[in-house]
Amino acid sequence: MDVSMTLWVLTILGLCALIAVDFFIGRKPHDVSVKEAGIWTVVWIVLAALFGVGLLVFGDSQASGEFFAGFITEKSLSVDNLFVFILIMAKFSVPTHLQQRVLLFGVLIALVLRAIFIAAGAAVIANFAWVFYIFGAFLIYTAWKLIQEARSDEEDEEFEENRLLKSIEKRFGVADRYHGTKLFIQEHGKKIMTPLLVVMLAIGMTDVLFAMDSIPAIFGLTQDPYIVFTANAFALMGLRQLYFLIGGLLKKLVHLSYGLSVILGFIGVKLVLHALHENGVNVPEISIPVSLAVICGVLVVTTITSLMAAKKQTAAEETEKKSVEV
């Protein structure tokens, strides 16, 4: 898709306006209700759908199909990332009325990081076609790792601070409690961090790892930097509201990791086939309609089986509870 500099500028300005709206919504710390989260989740999804339709009307079906495939994949990966966000919030005992501020920061840093990764990835791909082999192998490895983690079924999983975060805490010092939305405070004549800043840094560092998975995945669906960037941006928009909307349902999506492993493995194979095709090997390439069908099909099946398994588990727990009472 041929994108002019004017369109790039207008798109970035439009996304900045959406981010400003998102910030305006959550500028005052408060507990987010399910109704508020639900309304804004629908709004962001509708905006993404309208953008995809706009690509179809003013661009072509290929660009629109690639956007929707990329958006759905990135949104699915973002939902899986919410598990980690919940662990981080629990680790640092973030007050509920401050969680939206932390998540807003997480979305902003994720957008910046992914823009950097996308620019670097596009430049590498443009000059070195063999990088598709690396991306493909990495996604297949990630898919295998997701399956291993899902099978381990660790009930007491906790977020562990990395060495960099611990060194920052040691260097600046951390207050023993939250001070509203303040990131630094003065204590005994020394400027120290608040726990809120530590949480934001933890989210930001985690976003780096998320980008390592998501960027190769979407480059497996499209090599158009404009589609890659906008699909990522719209997938991240509304992530804050989605956290509050389905936070309680995340534990019921017990098969989500399996579904994502299938999707990442599928895209990894697609990348390898594309690399072979680029090198003149006569192999079939997987089209965007097929990719979109596989991605949506896997997510639907995963959601259904997850809810069935969760329902069965709940019934078993209730039966066990009744037998104990008797």
Side-chain angles (χ1 to χ4, degrees):
M1 182 177 173
D2 187 21
V3 180
S4 66
M5 182 57 67
T6 301
L7 182 56
W8 266 108
V9 171
L10 291 175
T11 301
I12 293 174
L13 289 176
L15 291 173
C16 287
L18 291 177
I19 293 172
V21 169
D22 200 24
F23 180 80
F24 179 79
I25 296 169
R27 76 189 188 285
K28 185 178 180 181
H30 66 281
D31 292 331
V32 180
S33 66
V34 173
K35 180 180 179 181
E36 178 186 341
I39 290 174
W40 284 105
T41 296
V42 171
V43 168
W44 296 124
I45 292 176
V46 169
L47 287 174
L50 290 175
F51 183 84
V53 172
L55 287 176
L56 177 63
V57 174
F58 299 103
D60 53 58
S61 59
Q62 177 76 10
S64 180
E66 289 177 353
F67 172 80
F68 280 115
F71 171 74
I72 293 172
T73 299
E74 294 299 312
K75 199 70 173 180
S76 304
L77 290 170
S78 296
V79 169
D80 189 48
N81 296 343
L82 291 180
F83 282 107
V84 181
F85 288 167
I86 288 176
L87 294 177
I88 293 175
M89 298 292 190
K91 169 73 175 181
F92 295 99
S93 301
V94 182
T96 55
H97 67 283
L98 291 178
Q99 290 182 4
Q100 60 171 334
R101 181 61 61 91
V102 174
L103 292 170
L104 179 59
F105 173 84
V107 170
L108 290 174
I109 194 66
L111 279 171
V112 173
L113 288 172
R114 295 190 188 198
I116 294 171
F117 276 108
I118 289 167
V124 171
I125 287 173
N127 293 282
F128 307 102
W130 50 262
V131 78
F132 285 116
Y133 289 112
I134 297 177
F135 280 2
F138 177 74
L139 289 178
I140 293 172
Y141 168 74
T142 302
W144 175 80
K145 189 171 68 172
L146 273 176
I147 292 177
Q148 294 298 109
E149 291 175 355
R151 293 180 65 183
S152 67
D153 193 26
E154 296 181 358
E155 293 286 337
D156 300 320
E157 186 179 5
E158 292 184 359
F159 172 77
E160 292 294 334
E161 300 175 52
N162 57 42
R163 291 183 179 179
L164 177 58
L165 185 58
K166 288 181 179 179
S167 65
I168 294 174
E169 291 179 29
K170 185 177 180 180
R171 168 68 178 80
F172 292 96
V174 183
D176 58 359
R177 64 183 178 86
Y178 287 88
H179 293 262
T181 57
K182 291 182 179 179
L183 303 181
F184 288 95
I185 63 166
Q186 289 286 342
E187 189 173 273
H188 305 300
K190 181 183 178 182
K191 195 173 185 179
I192 63 173
M193 300 189 301
T194 64
L196 183 63
L197 179 56
V198 177
V199 178
M200 289 181 173
L201 291 175
I203 292 284
M205 292 176 185
T206 305
D207 280 333
V208 176
L209 300 178
F210 292 163
M212 295 285 286
D213 291 339
S214 65
I215 298 305
I218 196 169
F219 269 118
L221 298 169
T222 176
Q223 285 79 59
D224 189 327
Y226 184 76
I227 303 298
V228 173
F229 177 72
T230 52
N232 265 277
F234 277 103
L236 290 172
M237 292 294 182
L239 185 61
R240 179 168 63 88
Q241 289 83 0
L242 194 62
Y243 171 90
F244 295 103
L245 179 65
I246 68 173
L249 298 176
L250 283 174
K251 292 182 179 179
K252 293 185 178 182
L253 299 178
V254 294
H255 296 157
L256 180 60
S257 292
Y258 291 104
L260 290 177
S261 67
V262 172
I263 292 173
L264 292 178
F266 169 76
I267 296 175
V269 171
K270 184 178 184 297
L271 273 171
V272 172
L273 290 175
H274 178 74
L276 291 170
H277 182 79
E278 289 292 308
N279 289 330
V281 180
N282 187 21
V283 293
E285 284 207 87
I286 302 173
S287 66
I288 285 298
V290 171
S291 298
L292 192 55
V294 169
I295 292 167
C296 292
V298 169
L299 290 176
V300 169
V301 171
T302 298
T303 302
I304 293 174
T305 58
S306 292
L307 295 177
M308 290 175 62
K311 185 178 180 179
K312 185 177 179 181
Q313 178 65 25
T314 301
E317 290 175 355
E318 290 179 353
T319 302
E320 183 179 352
K321 182 179 180 181
K322 289 180 180 178
S323 63
V324 171
E325 292 176 349
V326 173

